[in-house]
Amino acid sequence: MADQARRRLARETVLAAAMELADREGLEALTMRSLADALGTKPMTLYHHVPGKEALLDGMVDIVFAEMEKPPVELEWRDAMRVRCRSAREVLARHPWSVPLLESRHHPGPELLAHHEAVLATLDRAGMPLPLVAHAYAVLDSFVYGFAMQEANLAVQRGQEDAELAGEIASAFDPAAYPMLTRFAMEHAMQPGFNFGDSFDYGLDLLLDGLARAAA
Amino acid sequence: MADQARRRLARETVLAAAMELADREGLEALTMRSLADALGTKPMTLYHHVPGKEALLDGMVDIVFAEMEKPPVELEWRDAMRVRCRSAREVLARHPWSVPLLESRHHPGPELLAHHEAVLATLDRAGMPLPLVAHAYAVLDSFVYGFAMQEANLAVQRGQEDAELAGEIASAFDPAAYPMLTRFAMEHAMQPGFNFGDSFDYGLDLLLDGLARAAA
DNA sequence: TAGCAAGTCGTACTTAGTACGAAACACTTC
DNA sequence: GAAGTGTTTCGTACTAAGTACGACTTGCTA
């Protein structure tokens, strides 16, 4: 019992350190050795708190789901879903490394299941028939995950040296060969006011509006 | 010149073999050694056709983009985008390993650029102002990528033994703790007619309809 | 036919995940 | 408190994978 609590705490310490490391230096910098270093211990010690690296990643993904706000029960379904989708996007942006992991983990953790449960319950409470619930869920999650994926990409880009980036793009990129791409970049994407993230709310409302119409 | 052509051919052989291997046995089974084996050669030989594993993956991703149908110029923009989005989804489903890679590659290849160029040109031809073009592109691609990501997940699941899967799910999954999830699975997702993929066209039309309204 | 460029590959180094087992430690039970 | 038992730590070492280095082979060109 006491050692249960101690072990749980240690496991959480390990997971927290792993997330911190991945946030700060990227997923490829997260190795059992670097994680041990970050915790001031040796690699093999970690294996007493986590069965292996795969389980470590599973645990990290479950924490990501835990950080996402569930749709608040007191709100009307559209507002509730807007809250949860925005929160999901924000969490995934905070942990960009997690986006590709969401796809490759085959061991759903309790937080992931609880999250799905809450979302399905919200759609059900809205009075949607099950087939529409399925569509709504698939469509909204696809959008959220896909958007997060693109944002994670941009985040990496922005992390590079600007000069390096410009050079790389210019070299890979013959303006004459890609006129529309060039025009789009020059006249819109590289203008001061542009923010890729603005498209999130736009798309989310598009989907919620469409679903609301279908639900009625 | 001749050797140029020969080298290009060899590079393409390597890439083709790599894609075949990844399709058949998954991305984690694709190592420089296994790829060399598949080609009947030795690991270090590959480095004369590809600068390294990163470049190999970059090349594979670019081939994935090459396989996607571009929006046909002769069609009205909605139909054109429907064709390209369906094709993209189909290609990504055929190469599930590529989905997480799309995010992590920072060296856009010519096929990727050409694809983006074609899509932007289609939206531009539809008369959309640039800000709407940006929204349309971001929103549609998020949906397509996110959907592909979820399908890739399902594909892996389906690859496992059914018994194993059922056992895993049942153990991770207390029906009483997740009533709505259980009901959803029993009454809908596990029914004979259910097909996750059906939500793709549903969501795609939702987005295209919304964008059409905005463009008018 | 001599010579050079292109391609092949044996060897070996590095980094990463992790099995094994001994030592250190903590906590119970007598 | 001493003995015993389970937990945690960690040194060592094995394996897999990416890849640098340099020798060898091959086939074309002058």
Side-chain angles (χ1 to χ4, degrees), chain A residues 71-136:
Chain A
V73 274
E74 68 276 14
L75 294 184
E76 186 258 342
W77 74 270
R78 285 181 58 170
D79 291 332
M81 288 305 290
R82 208 187 327 263
V83 166
R84 101 98 205 195
C85 289
R86 281 185 176 155
S87 172
R89 175 216 169 186
E90 191 230 318
V91 169
L92 295 177
R94 192 159 63 229
H95 307 299
W97 48 265
S98 72
V99 181
L101 285 189
L102 297 184
E103 189 219 3
S104 50
R105 304 292 90 197
H106 317 130
H107 295 281
E111 294 288 351
L112 178 148
L113 292 170
H115 189 86
H116 283 212
E117 171 73 18
V119 170
L120 288 175
T122 301
L123 298 174
D124 183 54
R125 261 199 312 277
M128 293 186 187
L130 280 191
L132 184 57
V133 167
H135 279 145

Side-chain angles (χ1 to χ4, degrees), chain A residues 36-185:
Chain A
D37 277 352
L39 285 162
T41 181
K42 306 286 155 163
M44 287 317 292
T45 302
L46 302 175
Y47 286 82
H48 275 268
H49 304 108
V50 166
K53 192 170 187 186
E54 287 297 295
L56 179 74
L57 296 175
D58 284 340
M60 293 167 73
V61 166
D62 212 45
I63 290 177
V64 168
F65 275 98
E67 288 183 1
M68 293 179 192
E69 218 169 314
K70 296 194 183 69
V73 274
E74 68 276 14
L75 294 184
E76 186 258 342
W77 74 270
R78 285 181 58 170
D79 291 332
M81 288 305 290
R82 208 187 327 263
V83 166
R84 101 98 205 195
C85 289
R86 281 185 176 155
S87 172
R89 175 216 169 186
E90 191 230 318
V91 169
L92 295 177
R94 192 159 63 229
H95 307 299
W97 48 265
S98 72
V99 181
L101 285 189
L102 297 184
E103 189 219 3
S104 50
R105 304 292 90 197
H106 317 130
H107 295 281
E111 294 288 351
L112 178 148
L113 292 170
H115 189 86
H116 283 212
E117 171 73 18
V119 170
L120 288 175
T122 301
L123 298 174
D124 183 54
R125 261 199 312 277
M128 293 186 187
L130 280 191
L132 184 57
V133 167
H135 279 145
Y137 202 5
V139 158
L140 285 171
D141 265 20
S142 290
F143 176 68
V144 171
Y145 291 158
F147 200 92
M149 192 166 132
Q150 298 196 71
E151 275 195 310
N153 230 335
L154 294 175
V156 173
Q157 313 275 66
R158 216 171 304 120
Q160 299 184 277
E161 287 301 317
D162 276 337
E164 180 194 344
L165 215 187
E168 254 179 56
I169 288 185
S171 70
F173 202 115
D174 173 7
Y178 308 104
M180 185 60 205
L181 209 47
T182 308
R183 187 158 82 81
F184 182 77

Side-chain angles (χ1 to χ4, degrees), chain B residues 3 7 33 41-42 44-45 48-49:
Chain B
D3 47 6
R7 181 158 15 167
R33 291 167 211 261
T41 181
K42 304 287 153 163
M44 287 317 293
T45 302
H48 273 269
H49 303 107

